[in-house]
Amino acid sequence: LCQTSAASVVRLSKRMGYLGYKDLCRALSVDLALQKAERSYEDMHPDSSLAAIARSACRTDIEAIENTLSMCDYDEMEKAVAAMVRAKRIDFYGVGSSNLVARDGSNKFLRLAKICLSSEDPHYQLVTASTLGAEDVAVLISYTGTTFDTLETMRMAKDAGAVTISITKYGDTPLSSLADIRLYADNSESLFRSGAMRSRIGQLAVIDILFTAVASRMYGTVKPHLEQTQEILNRKRIHMK
């Protein structure tokens, strides 16, 4: 459309401070997501009907997943999946609402016969991170990438020799700058940041992508474990006639 070569576009992207054309595209996706987020709440008022609130909340969740997908770096995602397939142990770390995502990740990967540790106690996180090794993976989750406790745990995991994966908002953050592999979730948390609505949904989407990809790569090995854990969980349910 602009009558120029691909090489010229790449050079322009790098001159603007991006790693390349794909990096520029992801940045543009983030900007568009932020604009959508700002528009999403223009019709929110104290007297909004329950139906309007329900539509807005569900639309927010859908947009969070779509935005997360648009900024997915598949090269980094591939590295993360490969590391998790190789790993004997995969720990998930986060505090506050990010800890809910960490616990979800831990519960999922346990079903793939991986050793997984997760705790909401920052002190316990430091202790478990110190016991990681070169064959292990640590997944550290923080929307802002600036949470002190998570940064401290990241440094401990790196000192222990583990492969580190960060899940943050898009862009350079203190946490992502330390990580071996950088993954990003929806970047448009705004008005209701205290509820961590969009960021939590985006982070959960990243966990689901990782879990599904690892399970697919290891299908022959993990299928019996998935069936066994499903059978165990079924015993904890009331079966209706």
Side-chain angles (χ1 to χ4, degrees), residues 31-104:
D31 285 341
L32 289 172
L34 288 170
Q35 292 174 23
K36 285 182 181 179
E38 290 171 1
R39 289 197 299 271
S40 295
Y41 298 112
E42 287 177 356
D43 60 345
M44 294 295 291
H45 303 286
D47 57 349
S48 293
S49 68
L50 180 56
I53 292 171
R55 284 194 298 272
S56 179
C58 290
R59 186 170 61 246
T60 293
D61 287 353
I62 293 169
E63 289 179 353
I65 295 171
E66 291 176 341
N67 293 341
T68 297
L69 182 61
S70 71
M71 62 184 67
C72 185
D73 184 331
Y74 291 104
D75 291 335
E76 288 291 280
M77 187 69 73
E78 185 64 50
K79 292 177 186 176
V81 171
M84 297 174 99
V85 167
R86 293 192 303 267
K88 291 184 176 181
R89 173 178 156 192
I90 305 172
D91 285 2
F92 294 82
Y93 299 99
V95 298
S97 61
S98 293
N99 179 255
L100 300 176
V101 180
R103 296 298 288 269
D104 180 71

Side-chain angles (χ1 to χ4, degrees), residues 21 160 192 208 227:
Y21 177 65
F192 292 105
D208 286 349
E227 292 174 344

Side-chain angles (χ1 to χ4, degrees), residues 142-190:
S142 169
Y143 171 73
T144 64
T146 60
T147 305
F148 178 81
D149 289 324
T150 309
L151 285 167
E152 201 172 30
T153 303
M154 165 67 87
R155 295 187 184 96
M156 183 63 72
K158 289 187 73 66
D159 288 345
V163 175
T164 55
I165 301 172
S166 65
I167 302 177
T168 66
K169 66 179 182 179
Y170 185 78
D172 291 327
T173 67
L175 187 67
S176 63
S177 67
L178 291 172
D180 298 312
I181 302 168
R182 306 177 186 186
L183 304 180
Y184 302 106
D186 179 60
N187 208 57
S188 49
E189 196 76 79
S190 56

